[in-house]
């Protein structure tokens, strides 16, 4: 299994500012994902963080609003830019372990970053 | 398009009894995987159990078992001997066949079921 940590665990931010969330995995992983969970809702995929290339964004999410970096196989960041109260959510980092065989029966999540925008 | 449906927004169960949380899915892929996660009020997503579409046996992990009925496209979670600590949101999710063709393998989630265990 993989252990995933996120920083910060929570934050309260002012409208118009930006916040960068860090995700660290304790082992090399193939795929890293960023999800958003709005209050009382399910998880929605924001983007897939690709190592060495630009992230792949889902419909409704754009790079200018949610820039993502993935400099190596164990680390990624998500920035929430020009925040508004509608961005108040839990942001979750997720990863699929890397293995020679099929590891697609595993996907682990970080503890989440609880963001409140005033 | 792939879709996960959880029709029970909330469920109550008496402590020590068993409970079944429903999940149906829709996919045209032959290869796929089904997951269940538990999310307590702290917000973390805890992996519970996995079922592959080609697995002949229903998956079990301790008190959790998955009632997989492929023809009906259902993957219900059964929790036996409920405990107070089982009170949480439960999400059913699917990883589609795209991953088996070397593409991205993100999870698609249902809306979740809030389980409350009564003492």
């Amino acid at each position: 299994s993989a252990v995933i940590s996120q920083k910060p665990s929570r934050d309260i931010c002012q409208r118009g500012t930006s916040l960068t969330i860090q995700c660290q995995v304790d082992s090399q992983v193939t795929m890293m994902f960023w999800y958003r969970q709005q209050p009382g809702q399910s998880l929605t995929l924001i983007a897939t963080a690709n190592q060495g290339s630009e992230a792949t964004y889902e419909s409704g999410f754009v790079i200018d609003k949610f820039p993502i970096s993935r400099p190596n196989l164990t680390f990624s960041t998500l920035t929430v830019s020009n925040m508004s109260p509608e961005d108040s959510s839990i942001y979750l980092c997720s990863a699929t372990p890397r293995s020679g065989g099929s590891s697609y029966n595993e996907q682990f999540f970080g503890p989440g970053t609880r963001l409140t925008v005033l | 398009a792939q879709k996960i449906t959880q029709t029970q927004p909330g469920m109550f169960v008496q402590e020590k009894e068993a409970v079944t949380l429903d999940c149906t899915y829709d996919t045209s892929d032959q290869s796929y995987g089904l997951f269940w996660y538990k999310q307590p009020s702290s917000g973390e997503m805890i992996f519970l159990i996995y079922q592959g579409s080609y697995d002949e046996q229903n998956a079990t992990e301790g008190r959790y078992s998955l009632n997989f009925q492929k023809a009906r496209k259902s993957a219900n979670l059964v929790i036996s001997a409920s405990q107070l600590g089982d009170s949480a949101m439960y999400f059913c999710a699917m990883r589609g066949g795209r991953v088996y063709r070397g593409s991205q393998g993100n999870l698609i989630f249902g809306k979740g079921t809030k389980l409350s265990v009564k003492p």
Side-chain angles (χ1 to χ4, degrees), chain A residues 40-92:
Chain A
Q41 303 295 313
S42 186
L43 280 73
T44 300
L45 181 68
I46 298 172
T48 302
N50 302 308
Q51 194 265 330
S53 64
E54 279 195 3
T56 306
Y57 289 84
E58 297 300 301
S59 176
F61 298 95
V62 295
I63 188 171
D64 289 347
K65 175 67 176 178
F66 297 102
I68 287 170
S69 77
R70 189 176 173 192
N72 56 51
L73 291 173
T74 64
F75 185 78
S76 178
T77 66
L78 167 75
T79 298
V80 186
S81 303
N82 188 23
M83 287 184 284
S84 67
E86 292 71 34
D87 294 320
S88 297
S89 297
I90 299 175
Y91 291 85
L92 294 129

Side-chain angles (χ1 to χ4, degrees), chain B residues 18-21 63-67 76-80:
Chain B
V19 63
T20 298
L21 306 183
R63 294 188 297 113
Y64 304 106
S65 60
L66 201 153
N67 184 2
N76 299 338
L77 177 70
V78 180
I79 305 175
S80 63

Side-chain angles (χ1 to χ4, degrees), chain B residues 56-99:
Chain B
E56 295 184 351
Q57 304 259 5
N58 285 343
T60 61
E61 290 286 348
R63 294 188 297 113
Y64 304 106
S65 60
L66 201 153
N67 184 2
F68 181 47
Q69 298 187 44
K70 192 171 182 177
R72 299 177 64 180
K73 293 189 175 179
S74 74
N76 299 338
L77 177 70
V78 180
I79 305 175
S80 63
S82 297
Q83 302 172 356
L84 295 178
D86 293 335
S87 294
M89 283 291 290
Y90 288 81
F91 290 96
C92 180
M94 177 172 63
R95 190 197 305 285
R98 291 183 301 163
V99 69

